[in-house]
Amino acid sequence: MQKKYLSLLVFPILLLLLLISMCGCAGTVQTNTARTLLTIHDSIKVSAEAASTACDQKLIQPAACHEIKVGYDAFREEWPKTNDALKVYLLSTDSVTGQADFTSHYQVFMSLYNQLFSALIKNGVIKLTEGVK
Amino acid sequence: MGAMIFQILGLAMQYGPELGIDIKNAINRLSNGETVESLIAELDAKRDDLKPLDFGQSTGGN
């Protein structure tokens, strides 16, 4: 009798898992990548706005402001492309479909992020040593 | 009966990904809680939200 109930319980769970796994949804690698890129976007948005304000107030050298602006403009231009490719990648049922296009954008995006982040640190917008005793 | 179900589950986990049926990911998604739909909504909302900034350049900074 108990065995019969167990079988009745296992079948719906199995069916639910099969339905979820077939629904065209992303795995953890894809969702973790999306979360990472969204976090990078958020941190750059805040940092760049702070840098722009500091440049307007002449707190940062004009040459440094120019360097940050060039980096930010390139990053800003690439973000929607990476965003679109990431959505295709997220909606792919396996980790291969949509990955090739996304990977090329991801490499460009991370390279631009690296350049901009380096410029922000080099010019004191992001202070790594603040608060360290 | 129970053994047969686990055998089917094992085969699905082994060969499923080739057929687009990824049970491991389904389990991960259930435990993770973050859905693809919520991520896509966030990506859509943030797609065009990086404003053009002038970094003091319009005031003769460069």
Side-chain angles (χ1 to χ4, degrees):
Chain A
M1 193 66 177
Q2 200 180 2
K3 215 173 178 181
K4 192 183 170 188
Y5 281 122
L6 187 69
S7 302
L8 284 172
L9 188 71
V10 167
F11 265 122
I13 293 171
L14 192 63
L15 189 65
L16 183 70
L17 278 173
L18 280 171
L19 284 174
I20 292 169
S21 60
M22 290 172 79
C23 74
C25 304
T28 42
V29 173
Q30 286 136 300
T31 52
N32 286 345
T33 306
R35 177 53 50 212
T36 304
L37 292 193
L38 280 164
T39 305
I40 287 174
H41 159 276
D42 292 351
S43 62
I44 288 297
K45 187 172 187 264
V46 171
S47 310
E49 283 172 3
S52 186
T53 305
C55 287
D56 289 343
Q57 294 170 349
K58 314 273 185 220
L59 297 173
I60 302 175
Q61 291 293 316
C65 290
H66 178 70
E67 186 185 358
I68 296 169
K69 182 175 165 44
V70 169
Y72 176 74
D73 286 346
F75 182 87
R76 187 174 157 265
E77 198 179 312
E78 178 55 35
W79 166 246
K81 296 173 197 167
T82 307
N83 186 308
D84 291 341
L86 179 56
K87 278 181 271 190
V88 174
Y89 180 49
L90 272 173
L91 289 171
S92 60
T93 49
D94 55 71
S95 56
V96 178
T97 313
Q99 193 177 19
D101 185 43
F102 171 70
T103 303
S104 62
H105 281 293
Y106 178 80
Q107 285 168 348
V108 174
F109 180 83
M110 291 308 271
S111 169
L112 293 171
Y113 165 65
N114 182 37
Q115 284 170 27
L116 179 55
F117 189 67
S118 302
L120 289 167
I121 288 178
K122 196 172 74 180
N123 297 301
V125 178
I126 297 173
K127 292 191 174 86
L128 291 179
T129 53
E130 199 165 84
V132 176
K133 292 175 184 173
Chain B
M1 187 65 172
M4 196 178 82
I5 290 165
F6 283 110
Q7 204 172 1
I8 293 168
L9 193 61
L11 283 169
M13 285 178 91
Q14 193 175 351
Y15 298 107
E18 289 171 26
L19 306 168
I21 303 167
D22 198 339
I23 289 181
K24 277 183 193 169
N25 275 338
I27 294 166
N28 284 336
R29 285 193 65 229
L30 283 175
S31 59
N32 192 355
E34 188 164 52
T35 64
V36 173
E37 291 75 21
S38 68
L39 278 169
I40 287 186
E42 194 175 342
L43 282 166
D44 279 338
K46 292 179 176 176
R47 187 186 182 276
D48 300 308
D49 76 333
L50 291 177
K51 293 182 290 183
L53 299 170
D54 67 8
F55 294 90
Q57 304 290 291
S58 62
T59 55
N62 188 31

